[in-house]
Amino acid sequence: MDSGNSQELWNAVDEYIGDVVRADSSLAAALEASTAAGLPAIAVSPSQGKLLYLMARVQGARRVLEVGTLGGYSTIWMAQALPADGRLVTIEIDPKHAEVARGNVVAAGLGDIVDVRVGRALDVLPKIAEEERVPFDFIFIDADKQNIPAYFEWALKLSRNGSLIVVDNVVRNGDVLDAASDDASVIGVRRLNSMLEADTRVTATTIQTVGIKGYDGFTVALVTRDN
Ligand code: SAH
Ligand code: DHB
Ligand code: MG
């Protein structure tokens, strides 16, 4: 047994847990197709995907919004938590990623539930706000990190009292501590944290993670405002 906090040990534990979470074959197929299409290997891990699924289920979510689709791996996990008449809208800027994701979603039998929207999230979110009259129960923010504060504001607009908002990649190997950072991703995460500290419309926490995604973390925020 490895004595300490090595990346190899974290990877081995993640692989061990990965066998326990019962990812179905459509999830493995989605990763394979994404790799084959040359997409970067930056999807959530199987254990993180299962956590998204569990949170969406506990939430009783019927409507999910995702910002940052990639090949649809996290999308499929969350969509599997929805009832047959549920709806998941996911936004992706890269048409190639979106095409791969659509293929993976259809192959997973979720084509009727999932709507992959192509475009810059800050352009698509106002359209979604116009089109979708019913708030989202669960929102996963996982696109470009400098725009996390703006995506979080949109998540608040598109949610209801009791909605859950999850934001990925908010620890960034500990770089989040650097108040003087000129890294746009770190600045974005720190602005989110300033909002969370002050904003009484939400109550939130951040969990640090290690594993096949390195040292990172995610924020979970519950919308508590009245509306
Ligand atoms: N949620 C996915 C991973 C998303 S990776 C999963 O866990 O399976 C981040 C994705 O966000 C990439 O596909 C990238 O193309 C997309 N993206 C980056 N900037 C964006 C923007 N401004 N609008 C929409 N999508 C964006
Ligand atoms: C990157 C994006 C992610 O959402 C992630 O979980 C890991 C890495 C990236 O853009 O490098
Ligand atoms: Mg991510």
Side-chain angles (χ1 to χ4, degrees):
M1 177 63 60
D2 196 302
S3 60
N5 294 336
S6 72
Q7 183 64 55
E8 296 92 280
L9 179 60
W10 301 339
N11 290 352
V13 172
D14 238 352
E15 269 151 40
Y16 171 71
I17 299 166
D19 293 335
V20 180
V21 299
R22 296 206 308 245
D24 76 4
S25 58
S26 73
L27 286 157
L31 286 184
E32 271 170 43
S34 299
T35 304
L39 271 52
I42 56 176
V44 294
S45 69
S47 62
Q48 291 167 347
K50 182 69 180 271
L51 180 61
L52 291 171
Y53 165 92
L54 289 169
M55 287 191 286
R57 256 190 87 167
V58 168
Q59 178 71 356
R62 306 182 67 81
R63 299 170 53 78
V64 173
L65 174 65
E66 177 177 59
V67 185
T69 317
L70 191 64
Y73 183 74
S74 53
T75 313
I76 293 171
W77 270 115
M78 294 186 288
Q80 287 182 342
L82 299 182
D85 64 345
R87 178 162 169 74
L88 188 156
V89 180
T90 182
I91 309 172
E92 173 54 53
I93 197 170
D94 187 320
K96 183 182 157 189
H97 294 184
E99 189 191 325
V100 172
R102 283 194 184 110
N104 288 335
V105 160
V106 169
L110 297 164
D112 292 340
I113 289 182
V114 176
D115 185 4
V116 182
R117 303 284 300 257
V118 184
R120 225 177 125 252
L122 288 178
D123 295 333
V124 177
L125 284 162
K127 292 181 192 159
I128 291 173
E130 275 173 30
E131 292 164 19
E132 306 279 332
R133 290 290 158 215
V134 186
F136 292 93
D137 310 305
F138 188 91
I139 298 167
F140 182 44
I141 298 174
D142 192 23
D144 54 317
K145 313 307 172 187
Q146 76 266 19
N147 283 317
I148 283 175
Y151 298 151
F152 196 81
E153 283 292 354
W154 274 108
L156 286 172
K157 281 196 190 96
L158 295 169
S159 62
R160 57 167 171 85
N161 193 16
S163 292
L164 205 61
I165 304 169
V166 177
V167 187
D168 197 21
N169 310 115
V170 296
V171 173
R172 317 199 64 76
N173 208 30
D175 291 350
V176 68
L177 284 181
D178 185 359
S181 177
D182 58 7
D183 177 333
S185 298
V186 171
I187 293 168
V189 171
R190 289 186 61 89
R191 287 209 180 120
L192 169 68
N193 288 328
S194 302
M195 289 163 64
L196 294 175
E197 220 181 316
D199 197 328
T200 55
R201 295 174 295 175
V202 289
T203 181
T205 190
T206 291
I207 297 297
Q208 304 185 70
T209 56
V210 295
I212 57 174
K213 299 293 306 278
Y215 169 37
D216 212 329
F218 60 90
T219 294
V220 180
L222 179 70
V223 180
T224 52
R225 66 144 187 270
D226 293 317
N227 64 353

